[in-house]
Amino acid sequence: MTRSPDHPIPNHSMTQSPDHPIPDPRYPIGKFSSAGSITADRKKQLLDDIEQTPARLREAVRGLSDAQLDTPYRDGGWTVRQVVHHLPDSHMNSYIRFKLALTENDPTIKPYEEALWAELPDSRQPIENSLTMLDSLHRRWTTVLRNMTRADWQRTFRHPELGSMPLEKALALYSWHGRHHVAHVTELRKRMGW
């Protein structure tokens, strides 16, 4: 993933108001943060998050009209429709990175220009195509993830900008990533009273 303004890798961000801190609408669950090794219980939660992302996204967009789908989740941000189409784009890349890392020694992956992908014509189509793709992709990805050994989790891929990334850290990143984008939709719905 090429980092965009909505995909950082450091800690939690808050915007201050006079009364109290307000979560930055770019990061409704905070910025990604992962330190140290991951316990077995934490890994189970991360795996569950990835497995449940398609259902959570489907529920988040249930009943939205085309006008609502074409509403940006924040000023200057993607529309809900673009967020929905982005998730399978991003997670398909991650799935392939996992498979490369499991079958090659620290392969260098190719980042992609996610902001430009979000402008392509397939990001303006009905969302059901991407919801169905995400369902199928996550079933396959979860099968791989739930069958990895302890040694597999230490395997790495090399990101040209971020360096070597252990699959265990990539698991945490993509658990966060799914929850991050679902929260863009659910927080917008709360703000708009949808």
Side-chain angles (χ1 to χ4, degrees):
M1 156 172 75
T2 296
R3 287 179 284 173
S4 74
D6 291 350
H7 289 95
I9 306 272
N11 295 321
H12 191 74
S13 172
M14 300 292 276
T15 303
Q16 297 291 328
S17 75
D19 301 333
H20 59 283
I22 298 172
D24 184 332
R26 293 174 299 172
Y27 312 111
I29 65 168
K31 293 182 182 180
F32 174 72
S33 178
S34 177
S37 63
I38 296 173
T39 66
D41 286 343
R42 178 75 178 125
K43 188 173 289 174
K44 181 187 180 316
Q45 181 58 58
L46 298 172
L47 290 166
D48 289 348
D49 287 341
I50 287 179
E51 185 172 42
Q52 294 164 11
T53 293
R56 289 174 178 162
L57 180 63
R58 194 174 281 278
E59 183 58 32
V61 298
R62 186 177 314 284
L64 292 180
S65 68
D66 279 335
Q68 290 168 327
L69 290 170
D70 292 329
T71 301
Y73 74 87
R74 66 170 177 88
D75 288 341
W78 285 340
T79 65
V80 172
R81 186 183 309 274
Q82 287 173 306
V83 168
V84 171
H85 292 309
H86 164 70
L87 274 161
D89 285 347
S90 175
H91 291 197
M92 189 174 353
N93 273 281
S94 182
Y95 172 60
I96 290 167
R97 292 169 185 180
F98 268 78
K99 291 184 82 162
L100 288 169
L102 289 168
T103 59
E104 299 176 23
N105 187 26
D106 196 34
T108 299
I109 57 93
K110 184 184 182 314
Y112 69 102
E113 297 295 335
E114 63 184 22
L116 297 177
W117 283 36
E119 296 299 324
L120 292 172
D122 62 333
S123 291
R124 293 188 292 274
Q125 67 181 330
I127 62 170
E128 185 56 39
N129 296 332
S130 283
L131 293 172
T132 299
M133 180 184 283
L134 196 66
D135 286 336
S136 297
L137 172 62
H138 276 242
R139 277 194 297 275
R140 288 192 62 183
W141 193 12
T142 301
T143 297
V144 170
L145 296 173
R146 293 205 185 272
N147 286 284
M148 287 172 58
T149 66
R150 181 174 292 165
D152 289 339
W153 287 110
Q154 301 312 308
R155 294 184 68 87
T156 60
F157 61 80
R158 182 162 299 280
H159 190 291
E161 297 168 13
L162 305 175
S164 190
M165 180 175 286
L167 293 183
E168 192 173 70
K169 183 174 181 178
L171 174 71
L173 175 61
Y174 281 89
S175 161
W176 170 86
H177 187 257
R179 292 180 295 109
H180 166 73
H181 283 304
V182 169
H184 283 149
V185 179
T186 58
E187 290 301 309
L188 174 65
R189 291 188 78 147
K190 286 179 198 171
R191 288 195 309 274
M192 301 296 282
W194 295 343

